[in-house]
Amino acid sequence: MPIILRFVSLALLLIAAILNSACSESKPPLRVALLEWPPYELAFWAREQGWLNPEQIKLLEYKTPAEVARAFASGSVDIIAVTTDFALSLAHQYPDTRIFLVIDASNGGDVVLSRAPVNDPADLKGKRIAVEAGPLGSYMLTRFRDHFGLDKADLSIDYVDIPAQVDHWRNTDVDLLITYEPNRSRVLDLGATEVFSSRQIPNEIVDVFLVRQATLDHRQEALQHMVEAWFKAVADLKAAKPALFEFIGQRESIPATVVKEALLEQILVPDRTKNLRLLSGQDPSFLDGLKRNENSMRSAGIIGGAVDRQSLVTHKLLYQRP
C-alpha cells in the first residue's frame, strides 16, 4: 500500500476511534428537584430500594417552590415536581415545558388553618392570613376567598415561605395559614382548626413532573428509567407497606401514622394505568382541572395569557417497556 494511502487509512481509523469514544461517553444524570411533601418522597424510596440508577437520575432537595421554579427556568435542574398552577405559570413563560407524569391529587392535604372555628364568613373579615408567595399560595387564597365569598380587601396577607410557616404561627398573632403536609399536621398539633381544604376543590391541586421538550427528545432512556422506578414505589404505596411509611416519616419528622393517613386518605396517587387515562384525556378530570386552574389564574391576574394545554401534556413515557 502506498505510504499516502496508509497515512489516510490510519487517519480515518483515528477519527473513527475519537468519534466512537465521544459517542460512548456517558451522559450526566438528569437532575430532579423535589420539595418536602409526602408523595414526593416516593422518589427517595425508589432510590433507597436501588431502583434509581444514580448515573441516570440524581435527586436534589429544595426548600420552596419558588426555588424549584427558578432552578428549572435557569436550567440548573432537568425535572421538577410542582403543582399544576406552577406548571401553567412556567408554561406561560416557557412554552416548551411538558407534563409527563401525574404525581398526586390533593384531597385534603392542602389546607387553610385557623386559630378559631369559623361559624360565619363574616368571622373572617379583617383577619390576617399567612401564605407562601407563589402560584400555589395565590391559587389557594383565591379559592378560599371564593368559597367564603370574601373580597381581596377582607383579609390582610403575610407572605411566609413554607420552611418558616410553623415558627410564624408560633411567634405571631396571625389568624389563618395556608399550608400543606407536613406543616399541616405540625400546626394542627399546635391547636389550629382546619376551615378549608383541597377536598372542597377536587382535581384542582394536582402535582406533576415537568421537563423541557429538549430533554424529552434527547434523554428518553433516563426519563423512562425514572418512570419505571416511580411506579415501583407507587406499587409499594398501594400495598401499604409499613416500611415505606416509616421511611417517609423519618425523612419528614412526622409520625408514620400521619404519613399513612395522608397518603391513603388525603392524597390520591395514581398508578400507571390511571396516569395514562388522565394524561391521554380518557379520564377528563385532569385536563378539566387544568382548564379550571388556568381560568382561575387568569381571572386573578396570576398569569396574563392563554397556555397551550394540548402541547403541555404528554403521555409518551407511560407505556411500559417490553
Side-chain angles (χ1 to χ4, degrees):
M1 178 184 293
I3 293 177
I4 187 66
L5 289 178
R6 186 178 301 171
F7 177 77
V8 170
S9 298
L10 289 172
L12 290 174
L13 286 172
L14 180 60
I15 291 170
I18 292 171
L19 290 175
N20 183 62
S21 175
C23 291
S24 64
E25 286 181 5
S26 60
K27 295 177 181 177
L30 293 180
R31 300 153 298 178
V32 184
L34 297 162
L35 294 163
E36 189 180 53
W37 168 239
Y40 295 177
E41 298 291 353
L42 293 176
F44 293 99
W45 175 253
R47 185 179 69 182
E48 180 77 6
Q49 301 308 303
W51 300 330
L52 276 180
N53 181 350
E55 294 184 359
Q56 290 185 284
I57 300 293
K58 182 179 181 180
L59 305 182
L60 302 172
E61 299 179 65
Y62 283 75
K63 295 295 185 183
T64 70
E67 291 175 325
V68 169
R70 285 195 297 269
F72 186 68
S74 69
S76 299
V77 297
D78 307 291
I79 301 165
I80 59 173
V82 291
T83 47
T84 48
D85 42 87
F86 264 96
L88 287 163
S89 181
L90 285 165
H92 180 62
Q93 300 174 67
Y94 309 100
D96 63 335
T97 298
R98 303 289 179 261
I99 294 171
F100 70 91
L101 192 147
V102 176
I103 298 172
D104 64 77
S106 180
N107 188 38
D110 293 80
V111 296
V112 181
L113 303 178
S114 173
R115 292 197 186 272
V118 176
N119 300 312
D120 188 281
D123 297 341
L124 294 167
K125 292 187 177 182
K127 300 296 186 183
R128 281 174 60 203
I129 187 167
V131 59
E132 182 180 41
L136 177 58
S138 297
Y139 188 80
M140 276 291 287
L141 178 59
T142 297
R143 299 300 278 124
F144 173 65
R145 285 195 301 238
D146 291 345
H147 181 78
F148 284 102
L150 300 172
D151 295 326
K152 288 185 177 181
D154 289 335
L155 298 170
S156 60
I157 302 173
D158 292 0
Y159 289 107
V160 184
D161 282 339
I162 290 294
Q165 285 187 342
V166 177
D167 285 341
H168 191 78
W169 184 265
R170 282 197 188 102
N171 300 324
T172 73
D173 59 355
V174 68
D175 302 291
L176 300 154
L177 171 66
I178 294 177
T179 193
Y180 51 80
E181 289 289 5
N183 280 356
R184 170 188 175 274
S185 295
R186 294 165 181 163
V187 177
L188 284 173
D189 285 345
L190 296 174
T193 298
E194 186 175 303
V195 295
F196 179 76
S197 83
S198 50
R199 197 182 302 273
Q200 290 152 292
I201 48 171
N203 301 313
E204 292 190 38
I205 307 297
V206 179
D207 287 278
V208 294
F209 278 119
L210 292 188
V211 72
R212 305 291 276 271
Q213 183 63 49
T215 306
L216 193 63
D217 290 339
H218 302 296
R219 300 299 306 274
Q220 187 166 344
E221 182 179 348
L223 286 166
Q224 192 73 60
H225 171 73
M226 175 183 162
V227 167
E228 299 306 317
W230 175 263
F231 286 125
K232 287 182 180 180
V234 171
D236 279 359
L237 171 61
K238 300 299 184 184
K241 290 194 173 181
L244 170 61
F245 303 128
E246 291 287 347
F247 173 81
I248 296 175
Q250 289 175 9
R251 280 186 50 83
E252 300 210 344
S253 301
I254 54 177
T257 53
V258 172
V259 175
K260 184 176 181 180
E261 179 187 4
L263 287 173
L264 297 183
E265 297 179 24
Q266 300 164 7
I267 304 165
L268 308 175
V269 179
D271 60 14
R272 184 195 302 271
T273 300
K274 182 66 171 177
N275 242 286
L276 185 55
R277 288 180 56 79
L278 291 170
L279 292 182
S280 67
Q282 295 173 49
D283 179 340
S285 59
F286 174 72
L287 297 181
D288 288 349
L290 204 60
K291 184 178 181 179
R292 284 195 299 274
N293 270 176
E294 183 184 2
N295 290 340
S296 294
M297 292 173 73
R298 290 174 66 185
S299 296
I302 300 171
I303 56 175
V307 174
D308 184 355
R309 294 189 305 274
Q310 185 173 357
S311 66
L312 174 60
V313 176
T314 178
H315 57 276
K316 66 182 294 185
L317 294 172
L318 297 178
Y319 297 100
Q320 193 159 12
R321 290 184 298 182

